[in-house]
Amino acid sequence: MLKFYFNPTPNPMKVALFLEEAGLPYEPIPVDVRLGQQFEPDFLALNPNGKVPVIVDGGHAVFDSTAILLYLADKTGKFLPPNNTWAARGEMLSWLEFVGTGVGPFSGQARHFRSYATEKVPYAEKRYFFEAERHFRILDDRLKNRRHMVSYAYTIVDMAVWGWSRNVERVLGEGAWAKFPYLKRHCDEIEKRPAAQRALALKDRFTFVTETDEAARRHMFKHLDHEGVGV
């Protein structure tokens, strides 16, 4: 059975949604980042980068949410563009990488500097907030006249977008959804899917630390152990 290492954060939730949509049998294995479990030797043997999600399929590990979505979609033949041409594949890959290399990183940094930074850095806050908002706006524009991101079909790109779009207000603040009506419609439609509800309920089967105390901060943000080094 496929093993799925996860916690209830945006990137693992993309994979959880695929697993539930595809009906693949899997064993969920929680990784509590506030306890530093992502840096335990057994986990680092699966992903040297010490991040979730990771799947182990047939004894082989695959890490990074974009890689996992592509791997599972190609293996099962599910949630790919129905018109399997090079043009359709290129469209899918372009938007999938847009989420993986743009939406995710900028949203993560915007959230970090807004909520977790130990000191206020106005330049960083403005920079990452602007870029996160700009990336969400591009998604919103893309969805203005279409229900799905690519090929007018529900694909792994929609799953990747949903992983982050459901966190718009955590990233940009309360009321931010008003700026992205088409992205909101897209997010809400996916959220209503039974598979999405099962994916969201996955976290309730396990106990995760929710308080970000000093120990948790040092597990989550390893640079804190190297303050002053290289500065």
Side-chain angles (χ1 to χ4, degrees):
M1 181 181 292
L2 183 151
K3 295 182 178 181
F4 172 45
Y5 295 79
F6 83 104
N7 59 39
T9 51
N11 288 323
M13 293 310 295
K14 308 172 191 175
V15 176
L17 178 56
F18 183 100
L19 292 170
E20 292 294 342
E21 291 280 18
L24 292 175
Y26 68 94
E27 177 190 355
I29 301 173
V31 178
D32 198 324
V33 299
R34 286 180 170 83
L35 295 178
Q37 292 176 345
Q38 70 275 32
F39 298 117
E40 292 179 357
D42 286 350
F43 186 79
L44 289 175
L46 302 175
N47 181 4
N49 195 31
K51 293 182 181 294
V52 288
V54 174
I55 64 168
V56 177
D57 184 27
H60 302 289
V62 185
F63 60 86
D64 187 275
S65 59
T66 300
I68 295 170
L69 287 175
L70 281 169
Y71 172 87
L72 292 174
D74 285 339
K75 181 175 181 177
T76 63
K78 295 182 177 181
F79 305 110
L80 295 168
N83 181 18
N84 192 23
T85 63
W86 283 113
R89 181 81 174 182
E91 179 187 42
M92 179 191 73
L93 291 174
S94 294
W95 285 105
L96 196 61
E97 289 299 326
F98 175 81
V99 177
T101 65
V103 176
F106 281 113
S107 295
Q109 292 299 323
R111 171 78 166 147
H112 177 83
F113 281 103
R114 180 169 174 263
S115 303
Y116 295 112
T118 55
E119 59 184 280
K120 300 297 287 184
V121 187
Y123 178 88
E125 285 191 42
K126 183 176 181 179
R127 158 73 174 166
Y128 287 114
F129 182 96
F130 176 87
E131 285 297 325
E133 186 177 59
R134 185 177 73 84
H135 280 74
F136 283 128
R137 188 177 300 113
I138 291 171
L139 293 176
D140 192 65
D141 289 343
R142 174 69 174 176
L143 292 163
K144 182 176 182 178
N145 297 310
R146 57 173 62 226
R147 185 179 176 189
H148 301 298
M149 285 294 300
V150 299
S151 299
Y152 301 96
Y154 181 53
T155 69
I156 55 176
V157 180
D158 298 293
M159 299 177 191
V161 169
W162 174 79
W164 281 102
S165 67
R166 56 186 299 271
N167 291 275
V168 158
E169 292 197 335
R170 290 182 182 177
V171 174
L172 300 178
E174 186 176 351
W177 268 131
K179 302 176 183 179
F180 314 109
Y182 308 110
L183 182 60
K184 181 67 163 64
R185 178 196 64 204
H186 179 265
C187 182
D188 288 346
E189 286 187 0
I190 294 178
E191 201 106 327
K192 292 175 184 176
R193 297 176 68 94
Q197 292 300 307
R198 292 193 298 271
L200 291 171
L202 188 61
K203 68 180 185 301
D204 299 327
R205 295 165 54 184
F206 305 94
T207 300
F208 291 92
V209 175
T210 57
E211 296 299 321
T212 308
D213 58 14
E214 183 61 22
R217 293 176 67 86
R218 291 190 175 275
H219 288 313
M220 295 168 67
F221 313 124
K222 298 300 286 184
H223 68 278
L224 294 176
D225 291 330
H226 301 274
E227 290 177 315
V229 177
V231 176

